[in-house]
Amino acid sequence: MSEAYPGVEWVQADMNDLLSLRKAFTGADIVFGMTNFFDQDILAKVAEGDIDAEFVQGKNIVDAAISEGVESLIYSGLDSMKQLSNGKYTSVVHFEGKYKVEKYLLSKTHCIKGYVIYLGSYMQNYTNPNFTRISVDDMQTIEFVFPYLPTTLLPLVDPASDTGPVVKYILDHPSECLGFPIEVSGGYYEAQEMATAYFKATGRPARYVQTSYKSAGSEDFVQMFKGISEFGLFGGRTAFIDRNKKMDYKFISPVQFWKSKKWAGPSQ
């Protein structure tokens, strides 16, 4: 990374270590923070019953930024599925932890300017080996396998391309974006659209296959898929689509994603 960005000063920190974060943030005006529930350290703690492991890391980011006099903190969060579902789905731990960090950050408005982004459903999920396979019917067709109905609307996003322009918009329009989540997605697409787009981009046969919710594995994921299917990843909000029109940026479409990804398909 340092070779690719020679003008950037690189520092190292441990998100479980407040002092190391403070050292990393020294002299910074703006911090972009995100936590990864699927980090092995967090997963191990959650398995032992510590469901606040991700929140602790996020809280450390906020506290360290405040301690070092950082002017603005942009945090990558998620909706609370418990709230979106009106209490029906309460065990989507990796949503709730991020939402709790968001609430903590926004409670510190007297100390720091807090901004929150919500990334949509990653297009990269369609390359995950857990959700792709080669059809046994012809041993050629790629099948994208998810519990969603084919027509479930997902706010798709290519995080590698789409995140930066939205963060820039926030920094260019701070008053407009302060204090509430800014969704990152080019818009809603049916879950099956990524399969259609793959064929359009590559000419290789592909189809979407709906599987059972139980196939998602853990209760965390089962409730996540059910919650998104019933209530939407962004709760059905659409205001972000109008906001996108004001940006000097065109979000990556599914066809563009596949053309740039050059993904060869799942291993056989």
Side-chain angles (χ1 to χ4, degrees):
M1 290 289 287
S2 59
E3 294 179 358
Y5 301 96
V8 176
E9 178 185 354
W10 295 87
V11 294
Q12 186 173 356
D14 179 349
M15 290 198 292
N16 292 310
D17 183 346
L18 182 61
L19 291 179
S20 75
L21 284 168
R22 289 186 60 181
K23 183 178 179 181
F25 295 165
T26 300
D29 297 312
I30 302 166
V31 168
F32 179 89
M34 68 174 295
T35 50
N36 178 15
F37 177 82
F38 301 101
D39 177 81
Q40 291 303 311
D41 177 66
I42 291 179
L43 288 177
K45 290 179 179 178
V46 171
E48 294 172 357
D50 181 9
I51 62 172
D52 277 335
E54 183 174 17
F55 168 71
V56 169
Q57 288 192 354
K59 181 177 183 295
N60 284 343
I61 292 172
V62 176
D63 291 343
I66 292 173
S67 295
E68 295 307 309
V70 172
E71 180 181 336
S72 301
L73 171 58
I74 302 169
Y75 177 71
S76 180
L78 284 170
D79 272 305
S80 162
M81 186 54 71
K82 180 179 180 179
Q83 287 201 356
L84 283 182
S85 66
N86 296 312
K88 184 175 182 179
Y89 299 116
T90 61
S91 299
V92 189
V93 181
H94 67 287
F95 277 45
E96 302 305 326
K98 286 182 172 61
Y99 184 72
K100 191 172 180 179
V101 175
E102 172 191 337
K103 293 294 110 178
Y104 182 72
L105 169 61
L106 298 184
S107 74
K108 300 294 182 179
T109 54
H110 57 293
C111 303
I112 193 170
K113 293 179 181 177
Y115 302 90
V116 180
I117 64 171
Y118 287 176
L119 272 74
S121 182
Y122 287 17
M123 295 186 195
Q124 284 82 351
N125 290 340
Y126 284 79
T127 67
N128 188 316
N130 292 320
F131 303 123
T132 62
R133 68 191 184 196
I134 299 295
S135 172
V136 296
D137 294 337
D138 59 11
M139 299 306 294
Q140 291 185 5
T141 301
I142 295 177
E143 295 182 338
F144 298 98
V145 185
F146 290 86
Y148 302 122
L149 285 169
T151 54
T152 296
L153 293 177
L154 300 174
L156 293 176
V157 64
D158 176 10
S161 300
D162 296 336
T163 306
V166 175
V167 171
K168 182 180 184 300
Y169 183 87
I170 291 172
L171 297 177
D172 289 342
H173 304 81
S175 298
E176 176 187 336
C177 302
L178 186 64
F180 65 94
I182 303 296
E183 297 88 350
V184 184
S185 169
Y188 290 100
Y189 297 85
E190 292 185 350
Q192 63 188 350
E193 176 62 23
M194 284 294 286
T196 304
Y198 185 78
F199 173 72
K200 290 179 180 178
T202 68
R204 186 173 179 181
R207 62 171 165 253
Y208 182 90
V209 177
Q210 183 184 5
T211 188
S212 68
Y213 287 115
K214 288 184 179 180
S215 69
S218 68
E219 184 63 15
D220 178 59
F221 273 91
V222 169
Q223 290 199 16
M224 179 195 74
F225 282 113
K226 287 183 175 180
I228 293 174
S229 295
E230 294 178 39
F231 301 98
L233 182 56
F234 290 162
R237 297 187 296 271
T238 59
F240 71 93
I241 297 174
D242 291 329
R243 183 171 57 243
N244 289 351
K245 297 175 183 177
K246 297 188 290 182
M247 296 185 189
D248 185 23
Y249 175 72
K250 187 174 182 180
F251 286 78
I252 300 298
S253 71
V255 170
Q256 289 173 317
F257 171 80
W258 286 125
K259 285 184 176 180
S260 64
K261 190 70 176 176
K262 295 180 172 62
W263 181 65
S267 300
Q268 297 190 37

